[in-house]
Amino acid sequence: MKREDMFELIACDMAGTTIDEHADVYRALENAVCEFGVEVKEEDLQHWMGAEKKEAIKALIELGGAVASDEQVQVQFGRFRDLLLGYYRENPPVALPGVVQALERLSASGKKIALTTGFSRDVADIILDGLEWKVGPGELLDAVVAGDEAAAGRPAPYMIHRAMELTGIRDVAKVVAAGDTANDLLAAHHAGVHGIGVLTGKLGREELDRFPHAAILESVAELPDYLEAIEPAAV
């Protein structure tokens, strides 16, 4: 098979897609917003999962009927981060089953591996350090893009495009982006890449099916077999 017919970059979300963090990000986000004095509806919380967390906090406060200044959003973001790190100390995140093996297999086939996340860089680094996932030549990952390292978070396409920039990939047609939320799929769609939904988060197949996607898989663990099946068709 010709190199130009292959996907070259696999960009995966972190929480719920490659990492099981026991839904603590949901709990921390809800509790941080509730501390502001508003109610958080489950459907609103789900809608904003996968987004950059300051954007999510501001939106959830407004959906709860209040208004928050940028300074107040920053305060609640600090509470979100403190709550989340406390939850993680009690119950550390772990790799989802088969994910490390899948990423290693994809890397061995010549693909670059990137993670994108709505977490800020400091939170992402704590998770990655705990998992001992490293970035660089010969390591599991080629790039990581955090939510505070792009012009806007999901559903904007910028984190995926930043991952392309960091890994030297120029053609969106050669990029796969996998995630477990609606915002993951919308970001992939907006980026013009091959979007894959996975069922390891809170959304089921019927819910993910409402958003643009190329495929819905049970897990990132299925990604190598899926790509091997479709790549020859491009020849």
Side-chain angles (χ1 to χ4, degrees), residues 29 32-33 36 38-40 44 48 51-77 80:
L29 187 58
V33 174
F36 190 80
V38 299
E39 181 183 354
V40 179
D44 292 336
W48 280 94
E52 194 276 325
K53 296 305 178 279
K54 290 178 189 175
E55 294 177 8
I57 288 168
K58 184 175 181 64
L60 289 169
I61 288 173
E62 291 174 350
L63 287 166
V67 177
S69 67
D70 291 344
E71 291 75 15
Q72 289 170 318
V73 169
Q74 185 64 46
V75 169
Q76 297 315 119
F77 174 75
F80 161 76

Side-chain angles (χ1 to χ4, degrees), residues 6-185:
M6 296 176 63
F7 290 109
E8 296 180 355
L9 170 63
I10 312 299
C12 295
D13 171 53
M14 286 178 60
T17 300
T18 53
I19 296 166
D20 180 3
E21 47 83 62
H22 320 295
D24 282 336
V25 65
Y26 285 83
R27 184 158 61 116
L29 187 58
E30 180 178 15
N31 289 343
V33 174
C34 287
E35 286 183 7
F36 190 80
V38 299
E39 181 183 354
V40 179
K41 295 180 180 178
E42 176 63 28
E43 60 268 28
D44 292 336
L45 183 63
Q46 180 58 61
H47 177 79
W48 280 94
M49 289 311 298
E52 194 276 325
K53 296 305 178 279
K54 290 178 189 175
E55 294 177 8
I57 288 168
K58 184 175 181 64
L60 289 169
I61 288 173
E62 291 174 350
L63 287 166
V67 177
S69 67
D70 291 344
E71 291 75 15
Q72 289 170 318
V73 169
Q74 185 64 46
V75 169
Q76 297 315 119
F77 174 75
R79 281 296 297 144
F80 161 76
R81 183 174 55 193
D82 291 344
L83 287 166
L84 185 65
L85 296 181
Y87 299 155
Y88 284 175
R89 281 191 293 271
E90 295 171 3
N91 195 14
V94 295
L96 282 162
V99 163
V100 171
Q101 295 86 341
L103 297 183
E104 289 174 340
R105 185 173 158 191
L106 291 165
S107 180
S109 72
K111 294 169 175 52
K112 301 288 187 181
I113 307 297
L115 296 182
T116 62
T117 177
F119 294 134
S120 56
R121 169 56 73 169
D122 57 346
V123 174
D125 282 345
I126 288 170
I127 296 172
L128 295 172
D129 288 346
L131 293 169
E132 299 185 349
W133 289 8
K134 301 185 184 304
V135 179
E139 302 293 350
L140 180 66
L141 306 172
D142 295 287
V144 174
V145 182
D148 56 355
E149 296 175 330
R154 305 181 187 110
Y158 305 129
M159 285 198 291
I160 295 172
H161 289 163
R162 178 60 176 155
M164 293 175 62
E165 181 182 359
L166 291 171
T167 54
I169 306 301
R170 299 185 178 185
D171 186 352
V172 294
K174 298 187 182 300
V175 179
V176 173
D180 66 297
T181 70
N183 279 322
D184 292 323
L185 292 179

